[in-house]
């Protein structure tokens, strides 16, 4: 019976490829022969015990894979990549020790440092420096102290807001008005004399002396300045020659006080040249849709001229 059981164990071990062989301390017996019987004439077999090493079929323990257990520590940063600690555990169950097999050696847990919250942090916007001041337009006078409107700007690009960061607070555009051309006009604008000057760059503008200041004026839409006629004329019309200086007309109140142009008495769209306090030449017409404005000595829209 014992022989059958031993054979079955051997067969099981042959088919269990994961089986191990374990050694252990055990009592063994050995046989020896000794004299026995009367006068030692016979030989007898005897057995003695001793402690030796035996082997048996077993299975040594093996570690399972590490798995995360417990709760990770809080991340050291809310954005921009921080670190946190996690705990990993394993068990001696792959396989478990069997029939005296060795238990697993080493630690059943370990800690790892992990990266966390890798998303970029919000970047708040910040202003760049202001640009240099620039002019909206040229000075309102060429002499006698005028004003000039200026502007400067900045951008929210130092840095630009990103990843949900806040926009810049404040204005991106600033304006100011400064004095310009503060020198006296002197002989350019004599007292009690109406004097005109061409604009050096824009033929739709001109300068007229007023109280010793050469002020800038704009021609009405569709007209350009004609310094010969001292008025703005339709740009599609040919330039009319200067009116003769002498006239047989009687003195005219409209041409008094040094005026160079006088309104037509019945037709708002026409005007005359003045010379020596008298109207000279034939009446001239403003561009279509405009009327003559005595206060500016130029053609303008009708709603700016009372009574026309």
């Amino acid at each position: 019976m014992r022989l059958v059981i031993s054979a079955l164990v051997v067969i099981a071990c042959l088919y269990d490829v994961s089986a191990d062989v374990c050694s252990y301390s055990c009592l063994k017996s050995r046989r020896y022969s000794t004299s026995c019987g009367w006068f030692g004439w016979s030989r007898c077999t005897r057995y003695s015990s001793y402690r030796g090493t035996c082997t048996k079929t077993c299975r040594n323990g093996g570690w399972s894979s590490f798995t995360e257990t417990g709760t990770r520590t809080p991340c050291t940063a809310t954005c921009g990549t921080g670190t946190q600690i996690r705990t990993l555990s394993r068990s001696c169950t792959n396989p478990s020790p069997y029939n005296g097999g060795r238990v697993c050696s080493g630690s059943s847990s370990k800690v790892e440092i992990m990266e966390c919250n890798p998303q970029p942090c919000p970047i708040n916007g910040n202003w760049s420096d202001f640009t240099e001041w620039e002019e909206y337009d040229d000075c309102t006078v060429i002499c006698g102290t005028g004003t000039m409107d200026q502007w400067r700007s900045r951008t929210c690009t130092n840095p630009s807001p990103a990843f949900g960061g806040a926009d810049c607070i404040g204005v991106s555009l600033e304006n100011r008005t400064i004095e310009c051309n503060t020198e006296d006009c002197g002989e350019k604008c004599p007292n009690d004399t109406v004097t005109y000057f061409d604009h050096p760059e824009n033929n739709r503008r001109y300068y007229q002396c007023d109280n010793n200041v050469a002020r800038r004026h704009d021609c009405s839409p569709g007209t350009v300045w004609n310094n010969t006629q001292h008025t703005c004329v339709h740009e599609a019309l040919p330039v009319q020659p200067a009116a003769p200086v002498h006239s047989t007309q009687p003195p005219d109140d409209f041409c008094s006080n040094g005026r160079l142009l006088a309104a037509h008495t019945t037709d708002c769209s026409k005007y005359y040249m003045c010379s020596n306090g008298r109207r000279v030449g034939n009446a001239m017409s403003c561009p279509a849709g405009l009327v003559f404005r005595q206060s500016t000595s130029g053609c303008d829209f009708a709603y700016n001229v009372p009574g026309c």
Side-chain angles (χ1 to χ4, degrees):
M1 185 64 178
R2 288 182 178 178
L3 180 60
V4 173
I5 295 174
S6 298
L8 291 175
V9 171
V10 171
I11 292 173
C13 290
L14 290 174
Y15 282 95
D16 188 358
V17 295
S18 64
D20 298 306
V21 176
C22 298
S23 299
Y24 64 96
S25 178
C26 62
L27 289 176
K28 291 185 175 184
S29 64
R30 58 191 169 194
R31 185 177 62 179
Y32 63 93
S33 179
T34 185
S35 299
C36 62
W38 295 97
F39 305 107
W41 292 344
S42 299
R43 299 298 295 178
C44 295
T45 299
R46 298 284 187 268
Y47 293 90
S48 64
S49 295
Y50 70 94
R51 184 163 292 279
T53 301
C54 296
T55 59
K56 62 180 178 180
T57 300
C58 64
R59 183 178 288 111
N60 295 325
W63 288 115
S64 65
S65 299
F66 275 106
T67 57
E68 186 174 348
T69 57
T71 304
R72 297 187 183 188
T73 61
C75 190
T76 58
T78 57
C79 58
T81 306
T83 57
Q84 61 183 176
I85 297 174
R86 70 172 183 171
T87 301
L88 302 173
S89 300
R90 60 182 178 175
S91 60
C92 190
T93 56
N94 188 34
S96 300
Y98 169 74
N99 198 24
R102 293 189 303 273
V103 296
C104 300
S105 60
S107 176
S108 63
S109 64
K110 66 177 180 178
V111 295
E112 289 182 342
I113 297 177
M114 307 294 295
E115 290 186 348
C116 51
N117 292 336
Q119 70 276 9
C121 293
I123 299 175
N124 295 330
N126 192 45
W127 290 114
S128 65
D129 292 334
F130 273 105
T131 59
E132 296 296 324
W133 288 102
E134 296 185 45
E135 291 76 35
Y136 282 110
D137 207 343
D138 51 12
C139 190
T140 57
V141 302
I142 56 174
C143 57
T145 305
T147 58
M148 179 185 295
D149 294 328
Q150 294 183 323
W151 65 274
R152 65 177 183 176
S153 64
R154 58 180 179 176
T155 57
C156 189
T157 56
N158 187 35
S160 300
F163 310 115
D167 288 331
C168 297
I169 298 174
V171 297
S172 61
L173 180 69
E174 286 187 344
N175 298 285
R176 71 175 183 180
T177 300
I178 63 171
E179 289 187 345
C180 52
N181 294 341
T182 56
E183 67 277 5
D184 291 336
C185 290
E187 294 182 357
K188 289 183 180 180
C189 295
N191 289 330
D192 301 325
T193 302
V194 179
T195 309
Y196 295 91
F197 301 97
D198 289 323
H199 192 284
E201 299 175 353
N202 189 344
N203 66 350
R204 300 182 186 277
R205 288 179 167 178
Y206 62 96
Y207 295 96
Q208 178 183 350
C209 286
D210 179 14
N211 295 324
N212 303 113
V213 178
R215 302 185 186 280
R216 188 194 70 212
H217 295 275
D218 293 321
C219 288
S220 301
T223 63
V224 295
W225 175 249
N226 184 303
N227 203 47
T228 301
Q229 300 179 15
H230 293 163
T231 188
C232 295
V233 300
H234 197 283
E235 54 188 333
L237 297 178
V239 176
Q240 300 184 28
V245 175
H246 301 289
S247 174
T248 58
Q249 297 290 334
D252 189 333
D253 290 340
F254 286 99
C255 286
S256 61
N257 298 325
R259 291 176 180 169
L260 298 178
L261 300 174
H264 194 284
T265 56
T266 59
D267 190 342
C268 289
S269 65
K270 295 182 179 181
Y271 59 94
Y272 291 92
M273 294 285 293
C274 295
S275 177
N276 297 321
R278 294 178 173 85
R279 301 184 191 190
V280 295
N282 297 321
M284 295 179 288
S285 298
C286 288
L290 302 179
V291 298
F292 185 76
R293 184 177 181 180
Q294 187 67 64
S295 61
T296 60
S297 294
C299 296
D300 202 344
F301 292 108
Y303 56 75
N304 289 326
V305 182
C308 289

